[in-house]
Every structure is written in structure tokens, then in C-alpha cells.
Amino acid sequence: MYLGIDIGGTNTKLGIADGAGNLVLEASFRTTAYAGAPQFLKALDGEIHRMLTLHPGRLAGVGIGAPSANYKSGKIENAANLGWNGDLDIKAHLEASLGCTVLVTNDANLPAIGEMTYGAAQGIRNFITVSLGTGLGCGVVCNGQLVGGHHGMAGELGHALVDGNERKCGCGRKGCLETYASATGIRRTAFELLSKHNGGYSELADFSFAKITAESITQAALEGDEVAIQAFEITGEVLGKKLVDVLCLIDPEAIFLVGGLAQAGELLLAPTRTALNKHRLNHNNYDIPIKSSVIPLDRLSLLGACGLISSYNQSSAAHEKYRTI
Amino acid sequence: MYLGIDIGGTNTKLGIADGAGNLVLEASFRTTAYAGAPQFLKALDGEIHRMLTLHPGRLAGVGIGAPSANYKSGKIENAANLGWNGDLDIKAHLEASLGCTVLVTNDANLPAIGEMTYGAAQGIRNFITVSLGTGLGCGVVCNGQLVGGHHGMAGELGHALVDGNERKCGCGRKGCLETYASATGIRRTAFELLSKHNGGYSELADFSFAKITAESITQAALEGDEVAIQAFEITGEVLGKKLVDVLCLIDPEAIFLVGGLAQAGELLLAPTRTALNKHRLNHNNYDIPIKSSVIPLDRLSLLGACGLISSYNQSSAAHEKYRTI
């Protein structure tokens, strides 16, 4: 059995998976409830111990995804948004305490590994996952291998530039894709639309600022609210047009949208597809499936963490698959 | 020894390389001087026979690059710009006549294979080549492997979209990168600049339309001509900004510019670098080398064709390297 750990800015999730990718036990605790990295590690050790007591068995390895985690060094590097300073050598720590192989990767890669190992991308050798959360994360798979890039910074598609986009991004620049195509991006689009219209005819206009979220916009769109539907159309148009550049560069077989916003299904998929087909090369007239992942992001990320280590263990070929993440 | 063949819209070039990648014999004939594919194949057979007579030895294999060539099928598919209709099964033809392994690939991949096998990219596992010719071709290498894409259409970076770009492209769309970043693109930029200025102070204004070429613009820029220098600055700005998206997606270690326009060196490299560094993610503060290839494009392409087959032959690991092109 394998242990997958997904360390996020809010929660740390753990899952034990069997060889077939079934999550047989899950747990979660708050990442930020601790004074520092040593306290966090102590809590993590305790949680792992509790899970292994509840579900005993031979642990074949641990896969971990975290922001700024570096596959090569095994460390979480300068994870400012986890509230810690400096590097955390989580691989060395857990290998010492658990006595099994531990692998870490950037959490943006987890959905791609999850889809490739246990999900809809099994057998697909060229694809990307686009995770639409607070920001936009991207997992890139070419030739059946995850693309990590030279500095482990591949998949930063959220910071590709959309010209004419004057929105400020958290990275300090203006014009990044994720200022439109993300859960926070669609909120900004809804605000912009409400500011332009006489908001009275949109149910969103009755909401407080804090209650206009990706979820409430989705709900309103499903109920036929014009502003909410238009917010999805704008999001899809910006995303679909940028995906043309991805097609040009790496020619994927499929694109999987994951995360809360992707659960809106055709509300988002239809305008994304329309924009992609409108702007792409005419002579590439094959179909590029753009799909919502059927696995919720939380679960997909945990499966990805398990998949990171299970594929590593299963064969040297699979080892190859991840060794350059 | 290996035979490399680079079939272009104008000329077909052939080279015999030894195991170390030295081109020991080269030849060339016009691609379009023949009534159809059978006549072209007959001329190709004759040229190969002549070369093997001049330089006898055991031919370990043949590597071929051509527009619309498909690695999987071994065919040149619908190569309208070669003047032929239908598919040409060049792999089957040459394997039957020469009795050795023949591999074909899209010619846009040749510079990347050449740099990786014999050039400056040896040992670099993540890089791209950007070929600035009539159009913009791109070879993508991730995890030490050429990225062909699902339909063999990876590397079409020339057709990535530059917003606000109203120039028509040969592909039928507007706004493609190669309408700026290519030998023909810089011509268009020079025309545009001359149309806006009182052309009298630029030496380009004295040239006939046909004589304003990438070469004459380069020459004028080297002599300090303001319009020509500005044309390079605009080309570099557009190219460098688009390369930000490539960095975000696949995080290469290096970018090699190849082809005639790239021989302008710092005239093009400096504004490209400036734009890349201006627009890239702030926290990715490592250096991304953008270099001109030291090998001229013709030679690099021939070396790539030889490298395609030599790497395939040298080991099963190298075989892996190209099997998904």
C-alpha cells in the first residue's frame, strides 16, 4: 500500500491507496495551525502513525505534493504561503522515520499524475491538466512522461500572458491567464460585468461581495442568470484562446480541466472549446477533446501523490517516467 | 556511416556522416525539378547511388526530414508545397532499395535533433530550437526527448497567436507569431516602418521592394541604419514576449535561435532577451540562455537527419528517445 500526502496552503490531506488506486483511508488536518515547520512535521508524523495503526500493512512508499516542492532535492523550498521560512527537507525526515522511499513533487503536478496513473488519461501519452482553483495550475505530459522542466517550473501556464489583460496578478505582473481563468478570476469577471451593467437583473447583484464566488456564479449560471453565464463565456474565451498556443507548442491528445470551476461542466467547456476551435490552426482539423475531470480535485491530487510513488515502485520504466519531474 | 536527407520546398540536401557527426560528403539537387513523386524518387535514388560510389562503406541507416513527414507512418503526407499529390511512402521505398533502416520526421524537428546529437544542446534535457526562416519552426525537447505531439504537430510555435497582431499569415489566420518573427516577418516590419517614416534617412528606402530582405536588413542594421535596427527590436520584442509563454509551460534550460535571421546575433538576441526578462515571472530569476546556434541551419538540418538515425542505432535508450516523434 502507498501513502499519498497533499500539503496545501489551508489543509494537508493524507490517503492510503491499495495497488489498484483505491483510497482505503483518508485524513486531513490544517496546515497552518502550527508555529513552524518542526511542529507541522510532528503533527504529520502523528497523523501518519494514527492512520497506519487504523490500517496496518506494509507501506511501499510515500508520495508528497506541496507548493514549491522540488523533486530533485526532496525539499519544500521557501514555501512562504505555508507559513514557514527556509527549506523543509520532508523527504529525508519521512524516509528516516518510516524507512521507505519518499518522493516529493510540486502539487501542480498531482492532478496530471493522478489522471495518468488511475484516471481518464491512462494510456494517453500527450495531455495537459488545467487546475482551476485560486490560481491556474497545469500538469504537462509529453511522450508519456510528466514534464517538470529544467528548474522544476514547468506547468506555470497560469502566468502565461493574455494581451490586453490589465488585471494585476498575485505574482506582481499584469495580464496573467489566471487573473481570468481561475475561481478568483471568474469572480473578478463577475464584478466587472456587474459594474458595467445595471445589476438589477442579475441575481448576483443581490449578493454581498464575499458571497460572489465561483460556486455562487456557477449556481446562478445554471439557473439562467445572464451575467453569470457571460462570466463563464468570458472565462472560456480567454482560456480557449490561450490553449491554442499550447496546442501549437506540444500538440496534446486531450486537455482535462480539473478543480471546482471545472465542475461547472459545459458552462465552461463549451465557450472554451468554441474559442479553441475559432483560433486554432485551420489545417489541424482533428478533434482535441477538452473534458472536465470526473474525479474531484482533492481526490485526484491524493491519487496523484499515491501514483507518484506507486509508479516509481512498479517498474524501472515507470521510474523513468518520473525521474525528471 | 549514416545518410541524412533534408527535403525542402526548393532543394533536397544529402549528407553522409561518420559516427562522430562529421559530414564527409554532401550533395544537393532541386526538389521541384520533377514532374511527380516517382520522378523525384528516381532522382533521389540516383543521387544516393552516386554518393555511395564516391564514398563507399556500410550504410547503417538513413534519416530523412521533410515537410509533413510522419515518423509513425514513414510517409511524406500531402506535401502540397513539394508539388506532389497524395502520400509518398519514402521509408518503404528506401528500405527496399538500400536494405537498411530508414526513419523520417518533420523537417522542423531536424535542428533540435542536430543540436541534441552533435551540437550545443548535447546533455541538455530541456530546450527548444526556434528556426527563423520563411516561417518560424520550433523543435521541442523535454526530459531529453523530442516532443512530437499526438498528431506529430508539436513545435508549431510559429502559429501561436500574438494579440493585437493584425498581419495575415500563410495559414489563413491573422496574428501568428511568424508574421513577425521570421525572415519574411522582419521584411514586413521594415516595410511598415518605412511606410510610417519619411524613409529618406534609411538606406533601405533606396532599395527596391525585392531587395529588402532579412539579409539586407541585417546588413543595414550592422551599418547603424535606424529603421533596420528598429525592425530587429520589434522582431525581438514580439518573439521574446511569446517565449515567456513557452517558459511558463515547459521551463526549458536554453533556447537556440537558428536560421539566417539568427545569424544577426546580438541585433536579434538582445531585444529578444530584454523582452523575455521584462515579461517573465519575477520569481523565476534564473538566467535562461538565448543563443544563436553556431551551426548554419542547412548543416544543422543535415546533422539532424543523420542524428535521427545514428541515435536510433546506437542504443535502445536512444531508440526510446525518438520513438514517439
Side-chain angles (χ1 to χ4, degrees):
Chain A
M1 66 190 201
Y2 303 101
L3 174 63
I5 307 176
D6 176 17
I7 303 175
T10 309
N11 292 311
T12 293
K13 288 165 199 137
L14 302 93
I16 290 178
D18 62 19
N22 302 305
L23 288 171
V24 292
L25 184 65
E26 291 179 60
S28 174
F29 66 96
R30 285 191 72 80
T31 307
T32 50
Y34 304 93
Q39 290 83 353
F40 169 80
L41 281 183
K42 203 172 163 189
L44 183 66
D45 287 341
E47 195 58 46
I48 293 171
H49 180 73
R50 194 183 68 79
M51 291 176 79
L52 293 179
T53 308
L54 280 171
H55 193 88
R58 198 187 69 80
L59 196 59
V62 181
I64 303 173
S68 310
N70 186 317
Y71 184 86
K72 290 175 192 168
S73 71
K75 295 177 184 174
I76 301 174
E77 297 176 347
N78 288 311
N81 56 344
L82 296 179
W84 311 323
N85 292 318
D87 297 350
L88 174 59
D89 194 348
I90 195 164
K91 175 180 163 79
H93 174 82
L94 288 182
E95 284 188 342
S97 66
L98 296 171
C100 63
T101 304
V102 176
L103 297 178
V104 308
T105 191
N106 194 300
D107 56 354
N109 294 328
L110 294 182
I113 301 174
E115 289 288 8
M116 181 162 49
T117 317
Y118 302 117
Q122 290 178 69
I124 298 185
R125 294 180 56 79
N126 296 280
F127 70 93
I128 65 166
T129 56
V130 177
S131 309
L132 301 160
T134 309
L136 184 154
C138 179
V140 181
V141 173
C142 295
N143 295 339
Q145 301 185 335
L146 194 73
V147 172
H150 181 60
H151 311 85
M153 295 296 288
E156 291 277 7
L157 185 65
H159 298 286
L161 294 172
V162 175
D163 272 294
N165 171 5
E166 290 295 316
R167 292 187 184 173
K168 280 202 174 180
C169 180
C171 74
R173 301 181 308 162
K174 280 199 296 189
C176 294
L177 177 61
E178 70 179 33
T179 64
Y180 274 86
S182 65
T184 45
I186 199 169
R187 273 188 89 198
R188 294 170 80 167
T189 302
F191 295 152
E192 199 171 283
L193 289 170
L194 288 171
S195 76
K196 282 184 188 165
H197 293 75
N198 172 356
Y201 65 89
S202 168
E203 65 177 85
L204 293 175
D206 297 331
F207 286 18
S208 69
F209 185 86
K211 285 205 173 156
I212 298 182
T213 62
E215 292 73 29
S216 64
I217 298 166
T218 304
Q219 192 52 43
L222 288 170
E223 288 162 10
D225 187 275
E226 262 183 56
V227 166
I229 289 170
Q230 211 183 333
F232 272 103
E233 281 169 355
I234 291 170
T235 307
E237 161 72 18
V238 171
L239 177 60
K241 191 170 182 189
K242 183 49 74 177
L243 289 174
V244 169
D245 288 358
V246 177
L247 250 61
C248 285
L249 192 66
I250 58 169
D251 181 22
E253 177 176 353
I255 295 167
F256 298 95
L257 304 190
V258 299
L261 201 57
Q263 302 310 312
E266 285 302 315
L267 274 174
L268 178 64
L269 291 172
T272 305
R273 242 183 247 122
T274 301
L276 183 78
N277 288 326
K278 178 179 165 196
H279 295 291
R280 65 196 283 203
L281 267 176
N282 302 333
H283 61 263
N284 296 357
N285 55 356
Y286 38 78
D287 185 44
I288 303 283
I290 305 183
K291 300 175 186 173
S292 291
S293 176
V294 294
I295 310 174
L297 181 55
D298 279 14
R299 208 174 164 75
L300 191 57
S301 293
L302 263 190
L303 285 174
C306 293
L308 178 68
I309 189 72
S310 70
S311 297
Y312 177 88
N313 276 23
Q314 270 160 27
S315 72
S316 64
H319 178 170
E320 271 306 290
K321 188 180 280 184
Y322 299 115
R323 76 187 167 84
T324 53
I325 291 171
Chain B
M1 67 190 202
Y2 302 102
L3 175 63
I5 306 175
D6 176 17
I7 303 175
T10 309
N11 292 310
T12 293
K13 289 167 197 135
L14 302 93
I16 290 177
D18 62 21
N22 301 304
L23 288 170
V24 292
L25 185 65
E26 291 180 60
S28 173
F29 66 96
R30 284 191 73 80
T31 307
T32 50
Y34 305 92
Q39 290 82 355
F40 170 80
L41 281 182
K42 202 171 164 191
L44 184 65
D45 287 341
E47 194 58 45
I48 293 171
H49 180 73
R50 194 184 66 79
M51 290 176 79
L52 293 178
T53 308
L54 279 172
H55 193 88
R58 198 187 68 82
L59 196 59
V62 181
I64 303 172
S68 310
N70 186 318
Y71 183 87
K72 291 175 191 168
S73 71
K75 295 176 183 175
I76 300 175
E77 298 177 348
N78 288 311
N81 56 343
L82 296 179
W84 312 322
N85 292 318
D87 296 350
L88 173 60
D89 194 348
I90 194 163
K91 175 181 163 78
H93 174 82
L94 288 183
E95 284 188 342
S97 66
L98 295 172
C100 64
T101 304
V102 176
L103 296 177
V104 307
T105 191
N106 193 300
D107 57 355
N109 295 327
L110 293 183
I113 301 174
E115 289 288 8
M116 181 162 47
T117 317
Y118 302 117
Q122 291 178 68
I124 298 184
R125 294 179 57 79
N126 297 278
F127 70 93
I128 65 167
T129 55
V130 177
S131 309
L132 301 160
T134 309
L136 184 154
C138 179
V140 181
V141 172
C142 295
N143 295 339
Q145 301 186 336
L146 195 73
V147 172
H150 182 61
H151 311 85
M153 296 295 289
E156 290 277 9
L157 184 65
H159 298 286
L161 294 171
V162 175
D163 272 295
N165 171 5
E166 290 295 316
R167 292 187 184 173
K168 280 202 174 180
C169 181
C171 74
R173 300 181 307 161
K174 281 199 295 190
C176 294
L177 177 61
E178 70 178 33
T179 64
Y180 274 87
S182 65
T184 45
I186 199 169
R187 273 189 89 198
R188 295 170 80 167
T189 302
F191 295 153
E192 199 172 283
L193 289 170
L194 289 170
S195 76
K196 282 184 189 167
H197 292 73
N198 173 357
Y201 65 88
S202 169
E203 66 177 84
L204 294 175
D206 298 332
F207 286 20
S208 68
F209 185 87
K211 285 205 173 154
I212 298 181
T213 62
E215 290 74 26
S216 64
I217 298 166
T218 304
Q219 192 52 43
L222 288 171
E223 289 163 9
D225 187 276
E226 263 182 56
V227 166
I229 289 170
Q230 210 183 335
F232 271 103
E233 281 169 356
I234 291 169
T235 306
E237 161 72 19
V238 171
L239 177 60
K241 192 170 181 188
K242 182 49 74 177
L243 289 175
V244 170
D245 288 358
V246 176
L247 250 62
C248 285
L249 192 67
I250 58 170
D251 180 23
E253 178 177 352
I255 295 166
F256 298 95
L257 305 188
V258 298
L261 201 56
Q263 302 311 312
E266 285 301 315
L267 274 174
L268 178 64
L269 292 172
T272 305
R273 241 183 247 124
T274 301
L276 183 78
N277 288 325
K278 178 179 166 195
H279 295 292
R280 66 196 283 205
L281 267 176
N282 300 335
H283 60 264
N284 297 357
N285 55 356
Y286 38 79
D287 185 45
I288 303 284
I290 305 183
K291 301 174 185 174
S292 292
S293 177
V294 294
I295 311 173
L297 182 55
D298 279 14
R299 207 171 165 76
L300 192 57
S301 294
L302 262 191
L303 285 174
C306 294
L308 179 68
I309 189 71
S310 70
S311 297
Y312 177 88
N313 275 24
Q314 269 160 27
S315 72
S316 63
H319 178 173
E320 272 306 290
K321 189 179 278 184
Y322 299 115
R323 75 187 167 84
T324 53
I325 289 169

